[in-house]
Amino acid sequence: MKKIETDSRIEIKKVYTSADLPKDTSGELPGKFPFTRGIKEDMYRGKLWTMRQYSGFSTAEESNKRYHYLISQGVSGLSVAFDLPTQIGYDSDNAMAEGEVGKAGVAIDSIEDMEALFKGISLKDVSTSMTINSTAFILLAFYVAVAKKQGADLKNLQGTIQNDILKEYAARGTYIYPPKPSMRIITDIFEWCSKELPKWNTISISGYHIREAGSTAAQEIAFTLSNGKAYVKAALEKGLDINIFGKRLSFFFNSHNNLFQEVAKFRAARKMWSKIMKDLGATDEKAMMMRFHTQTGGSTLTAQQPLNNISRVTLQTLAAVLGGTQSLHTNGYDEALNLPTEEAAQIALRTQQIVAFESGVTDTADPLAGSYFVENLTSELAEKAWELIHTIDAIGGSVKAIEEGFMQNEIAESAYNYQRNIETKEKIIVGVNSFISDNEISPPPFKVDDNIRQVQINKIMALREKRNEVKADNCLQKIGEHAANGQNLMPVVINAVENLCTLGEISDQLRKVFGEYKQ
């Protein structure tokens, strides 16, 4: 009989029995440590997951129209995609931004762009997730400044910044500064938010991009949790209280097509994180809970026969919900070809709504608990992930493992094996290497106008014309001073954006102090 393995090299038996159940799971309940079965006793019976749609393109004004559309269609939280220049600290008028402005997300250069992005949307009434890392502190400052102008109580402001720089070094590449000052900025955010934005999730520790880069499910767990340990240890070294900042940590995972493996992955990760936090000194169970957002797998989507992606996203949605996610973004079926059209975004949202209201999977907490197969796979994945975590600990932790290229090499090898299996047809991708159609129909493309950069440049020029240059220069100087002497950066960055300093100017000021990281 053919041997069947998951991508994490866990052999799947032809049948599972009660003898395969792990010994340590019989008394586990939802809402109770170690949270394998979920972080709430009733899970979705009490409250559904937050339905987000990751969106952002062109200008703030154009993205604002999409946000209003999504809200009208029933999304319960916004999720902002930023363009590449915004992600790596360049204003739209910088030569490095040419050809990229507004393409992979929305261009945000100043507080005025952020105001336009959320025009007509009350920030005190919406939960906003921002997928941003190197410049997360600046985008958070823009958001806070706009919320203040709206009259919102910052103590009640809810949302998340991704703010996970370690996975950028390991898997994605949108870093600016070296690891040490980058970690310092992150702990500055932890410290400031614990006092000023107590309901804000200060980091979304991301396995998503690790999986997108080609990792296995076990590697996604291990590398994500190892990075999480590094952030917690950095915060502890700064003297922060793990029982306070620990409650505002969140995670971000991928959901791929292997339904049972993905469900087991989420359950294993939750259990493992509770143990890690307890071992690091957490005594409040809420600080041991793993709260996570899920996005369906972008790398699983195919340009060939794109309507097949609706089925893939449905499987991935089920895996995320059966695995106990707190919020979810579903990809558009056309994202292998272009930014999602309005139609594709609506179908993606409707997929979540159908699962929520028509499938019955939300009627009871952790409905796959007790399955011989799922419980065994949860345990097997945890064992594989622990092996990798122990290896990383032996190297010296995540930062050291990244600097030595361990994570990058592991991901690259897994990505190679995955692609080789597709090319040899050991792994079947419908419409790509099997079941190919000669008369494929592609949906109409959604493209961003190349003139967007000039629109943004004009806005920056107008902003600089009307601001007080002396005040702006003083603000930037203060940022440089705080960066050099170790004072918390958040107050001076917020003051700078309120005085119309741009994202690129603030990033450049810190480049002068911290330098740039080159791999």
Side-chain angles (χ1 to χ4, degrees):
M1 184 178 288
K2 181 183 176 183
K3 182 178 179 181
I4 296 175
E5 287 187 333
T6 71
D7 65 358
S8 299
R9 295 183 180 174
I10 296 169
E11 185 173 354
I12 305 301
K13 302 197 298 185
K14 67 178 180 179
V15 67
Y16 287 79
T17 69
S18 59
D20 296 299
L21 286 173
K23 293 187 176 72
D24 60 343
T25 60
S26 59
E28 292 181 346
L29 291 170
K32 305 293 183 183
F33 182 88
F35 309 108
T36 314
R37 299 193 59 192
I39 64 170
K40 293 181 180 177
E41 290 183 11
D42 59 356
M43 284 306 290
Y44 304 126
R45 286 171 68 106
K47 182 185 177 183
L48 291 173
W49 64 92
T50 301
M51 297 184 192
R52 300 188 187 277
Q53 283 307 112
Y54 184 49
S55 182
F57 59 91
S58 184
T59 63
E61 290 79 6
E62 287 300 313
S63 292
N64 176 260
K65 293 176 187 175
R66 176 65 66 90
Y67 294 161
H68 279 284
Y69 169 76
L70 291 171
I71 290 169
S72 76
Q73 295 301 304
V75 299
S76 47
L78 297 175
S79 186
V80 184
F82 298 97
D83 73 356
L84 194 57
T86 302
Q87 293 181 49
I88 54 178
Y90 294 119
D91 287 332
S92 297
D93 62 353
N94 192 298
M96 294 292 287
E98 188 169 356
E100 291 292 343
V101 175
K103 294 295 177 67
V106 62
I108 301 293
D109 295 312
S110 71
I111 185 176
E112 292 186 347
D113 284 331
M114 190 66 90
E115 280 187 281
L117 188 66
F118 291 103
K119 185 177 180 181
I121 299 170
S122 174
L123 298 189
K124 68 181 176 63
D125 298 321
V126 69
S127 168
T128 303
S129 173
M130 294 188 281
T131 303
I132 195 74
N133 297 284
S134 298
T135 55
F137 64 108
I138 305 174
L139 273 301
L140 178 60
F142 286 148
Y143 193 85
V144 166
V146 171
K148 286 167 67 177
K149 290 182 79 169
Q150 288 187 359
D153 180 357
L154 297 187
K155 301 291 184 187
N156 293 319
L157 209 60
Q158 296 188 63
T160 304
I161 43 171
Q162 191 164 103
N163 199 27
D164 176 8
I165 200 64
L166 290 178
K167 68 96 174 49
E168 295 296 325
Y169 301 119
R172 191 161 173 266
T174 65
Y175 46 76
I176 304 174
Y177 316 112
K180 189 172 180 181
S182 292
M183 292 290 281
R184 173 265 175 96
I185 293 171
I186 288 169
T187 56
D188 278 0
I189 294 169
F190 287 0
E191 181 179 49
W192 185 82
C193 286
S194 67
K195 299 170 185 172
E196 306 297 334
L197 259 66
K199 293 185 177 180
W200 191 267
N201 297 324
T202 52
I203 194 168
S204 179
I205 305 158
S206 175
Y208 184 85
H209 302 97
I210 290 168
R211 192 69 176 278
E212 288 292 281
S215 82
T216 67
Q219 289 169 340
E220 182 185 358
I221 299 171
F223 298 162
T224 305
L225 301 196
S226 286
N227 289 347
K229 282 177 68 175
Y231 294 125
V232 171
K233 287 181 176 180
L236 290 171
E237 287 171 8
K238 194 160 184 167
L240 303 184
D241 186 342
I242 192 171
N243 288 318
I244 294 176
F245 75 78
K247 296 174 187 176
R248 303 322 310 169
L249 304 177
S250 66
F251 288 79
F252 175 24
F253 286 111
N254 212 314
S255 188
H256 275 212
N257 292 332
N258 189 321
L259 179 70
F260 295 110
Q261 177 182 248
E262 295 303 291
V263 173
K265 178 188 77 180
F266 298 131
R267 299 173 88 250
R270 205 161 32 230
K271 183 173 186 173
M272 292 170 69
W273 183 247
S274 69
K275 182 181 187 320
I276 287 169
M277 287 297 278
K278 190 172 185 178
D279 289 348
L280 288 170
T283 55
D284 188 327
E285 285 201 353
K286 287 186 177 179
M288 303 177 203
M289 289 178 180
M290 170 182 276
R291 296 169 299 112
F292 66 94
H293 170 72
T294 309
Q295 181 174 337
T296 56
S299 63
T300 68
L301 304 184
T302 64
Q304 301 92 331
Q305 302 178 24
L307 289 175
N308 292 346
N309 294 326
I310 297 174
S311 299
R312 293 185 177 103
V313 170
T314 303
L315 276 172
Q316 295 161 10
T317 300
L318 278 169
V321 173
L322 289 167
T325 193
Q326 276 61 68
S327 73
L328 177 62
H329 162 78
T330 34
N331 288 335
Y333 68 83
D334 55 357
E335 288 188 47
L337 298 165
N338 44 246
L339 290 171
T341 58
E342 198 169 274
E343 178 197 49
Q346 184 189 66
I347 291 171
L349 176 60
R350 293 289 182 260
T351 301
Q352 293 198 51
Q353 292 165 336
I354 290 167
V355 169
F357 297 106
E358 298 184 29
S359 71
V361 300
T362 62
D363 293 346
T364 187
D366 193 20
L368 292 182
S371 157
Y372 303 146
F373 179 38
V374 171
E375 294 291 3
N376 182 275
L377 195 50
T378 300
S379 180
E380 291 273 359
L381 273 171
E383 186 177 331
K384 290 276 187 182
W386 278 126
E387 288 174 9
L388 284 165
I389 288 173
H390 295 327
T391 300
I392 292 166
D393 287 343
I395 292 171
S398 274
V399 175
K400 191 72 173 172
I402 289 167
E403 288 175 342
E404 293 189 5
F406 172 75
M407 288 189 192
Q408 298 93 314
N409 291 338
E410 288 281 310
I411 293 168
E413 182 179 352
S414 296
Y416 171 79
N417 290 334
Y418 181 84
Q419 186 61 35
R420 182 188 60 193
N421 289 341
I422 291 173
E423 292 177 7
T424 61
K425 290 195 175 183
E426 193 167 326
K427 185 172 186 65
I428 299 298
I429 306 296
V430 174
V432 176
N433 62 0
S434 289
F435 312 109
I436 297 166
S437 174
D438 292 329
N439 52 351
E440 291 186 17
I441 300 172
S442 293
F446 176 61
K447 299 294 183 185
V448 174
D449 192 335
D450 287 328
N451 294 323
I452 293 305
R453 183 173 183 238
Q454 190 56 52
V455 172
Q456 286 299 115
I457 290 172
N458 293 342
K459 288 199 286 186
I460 292 171
M461 289 172 63
L463 176 126
R464 287 177 178 149
E465 280 289 321
K466 70 181 181 184
R467 74 183 181 184
N468 184 317
E469 283 297 331
V470 173
K471 282 187 177 180
D473 287 344
N474 285 339
C475 288
L476 293 171
Q477 186 178 333
K478 280 283 186 187
I479 289 171
E481 291 170 2
H482 278 232
N485 63 27
Q487 288 179 270
N488 195 298
L489 286 166
M490 284 304 301
V492 289
V493 171
I494 292 170
N495 188 49
V497 303
E498 288 176 331
N499 281 282
L500 306 186
C501 293
T502 68
L503 173 134
E505 291 168 339
I506 295 167
S507 300
D508 285 345
Q509 192 69 22
L510 293 180
R511 282 183 175 97
K512 293 175 186 175
V513 180
F514 297 147
E516 290 190 83
Y517 184 67
K518 307 289 184 185
Q519 278 193 336

